[in-house]
Amino acid sequence: WLQLAALMGLALALAQPVLLRPRATTILAILDTSASMGARERGRRAFERAKQELVRRIERKAPTARVFLMVTSPVAPVLPEPTADAAMLTTAIHALSVSHLGGNLATTVRLGRSLLGQEPDEILVVTDEPPPPDRVPDTVRWMRVGEPLPNVAIVGLDAQGSLCTPTDARVIATAHNFSDEAAVVDLTAAQRGRELSRASAQLAPHARVSVPLPLPPETDGELDITLRGPRDGPTTRSGWWDGLDVDNYAWLQVRRSATLPVLIQAED
């Protein structure tokens, strides 16, 4: 009995406490920062709603759940590594701003998986885009903000001019109506705050039109091309408004020094 008691005491002395901890889950969060997220609906940007939805989701996560946050435009991680610190994540999200670039959600998800080095337990996608037509896996949660809004955009620029008659120089601005309603827009060409030319155009739903903007003979340097609609805020369907303004501006360099001198010598 003494030997048995000694063995039991030795076993208890050598025993280490065992803590059973749940496995920490990893969440890959994708926040769409592309230009379309800057669209305004009733004065509020879709991007602000997206940030609020993502912050609410992070506040509800398990304390041990780590979040790896990625943005789409340009594709980049917001923090260098996954973190369970909800306060740090919230601060990082509030500091983000919408970009003037396009973005690709699928590319961002692939890069996020690669940087994690493992398959995340859950993928959050916060965007204004609809979910893909194929069935979304159960591990993906698609959080959509915003809705389709009227939009007219500058989609192309071209500079034209005659070698012999510089007064014929002009800018051809191409505008596209991405909306289901007709729109009347004004296009202007300006330089250093001075308007050089203005023209109006009627665009049918989903139509595209090229509008010439004549330029004075002395025009040289950078031009500001601006598109304006008749209204700058939401209206009923009887009126039209532009939901996204980032694509209403374009810039073009016009250099007179690039014009070829031409000499015509006539014998008769």
Side-chain angles (χ1 to χ4, degrees):
W1 288 109
L2 290 176
Q3 290 178 350
L4 181 59
L7 288 174
M8 291 179 61
L10 181 61
L12 290 174
L14 294 176
Q16 299 293 328
V18 177
L19 299 178
L20 297 178
R21 296 181 179 176
R23 185 180 68 87
T25 58
T26 302
I27 301 172
L28 175 59
I30 307 297
L31 179 59
D32 191 346
T33 55
S34 61
S36 65
M37 295 291 284
R40 292 185 181 274
E41 182 183 7
R42 292 182 289 275
R44 190 181 180 194
R45 291 184 185 273
F47 188 63
E48 299 303 321
R49 297 172 56 190
K51 291 198 293 186
Q52 290 181 358
E53 290 294 330
L54 184 55
V55 167
R56 290 194 190 103
R57 174 62 184 85
I58 288 175
E59 290 174 346
R60 297 194 305 267
K61 77 176 183 65
T64 58
R66 304 182 308 155
V67 178
F68 189 50
L69 180 59
M70 298 279 297
V71 293
T72 63
S73 308
V75 180
V78 177
L79 297 173
E81 58 186 7
T83 179
D85 190 334
M88 181 185 296
L89 289 165
T90 299
T91 301
I93 291 170
H94 284 313
L96 294 172
S97 59
V98 71
S99 170
H100 289 176
L101 305 172
N104 189 293
L105 294 169
T107 300
T108 310
V109 171
R110 286 196 297 268
L111 183 58
R113 282 171 166 161
S114 176
L115 293 175
L116 275 174
Q118 65 182 55
E119 185 64 21
D121 299 282
E122 183 181 3
I123 299 177
L124 296 177
V125 180
V126 189
T127 179
D128 61 344
E129 295 186 17
D134 301 333
R135 182 178 178 273
V136 177
D138 296 335
T139 57
V140 177
R141 183 180 177 189
W142 201 274
M143 303 169 63
R144 188 182 183 189
V145 297
E147 61 186 45
L149 300 174
N151 183 37
V152 172
I154 297 175
V155 294
L157 285 180
D158 187 22
Q160 296 181 355
S162 169
L163 293 176
C164 300
T165 54
T167 53
D168 290 341
R170 55 186 175 172
V171 172
I172 309 296
T174 302
H176 189 101
N177 184 4
F178 293 94
S179 310
D180 295 328
E181 298 182 53
V184 177
V185 297
D186 290 331
L187 285 154
T188 59
Q191 188 175 47
R192 292 185 288 275
R194 182 172 69 94
E195 184 176 303
L196 304 179
S197 182
R198 176 185 292 267
S200 297
Q202 172 81 36
L203 287 90
H206 303 284
R208 179 175 295 200
V209 63
S210 295
V211 180
L213 296 168
L215 299 177
E218 71 277 4
T219 303
D220 185 84
E222 185 177 88
L223 298 179
D224 301 324
I225 313 299
T226 305
L227 180 149
R228 285 280 187 267
R231 296 176 175 86
D232 56 5
T235 66
T236 63
R237 285 193 61 83
S238 61
W240 178 89
W241 62 283
D242 194 1
L244 186 65
D245 59 359
V246 69
D247 50 14
N248 294 350
Y249 304 92
W251 297 267
L252 181 69
Q253 287 284 347
V254 175
R255 294 297 182 193
R256 285 297 178 193
S257 58
T259 305
L260 286 175
V262 176
L263 173 64
I264 299 177
Q265 183 175 358
E267 295 181 355
D268 185 2

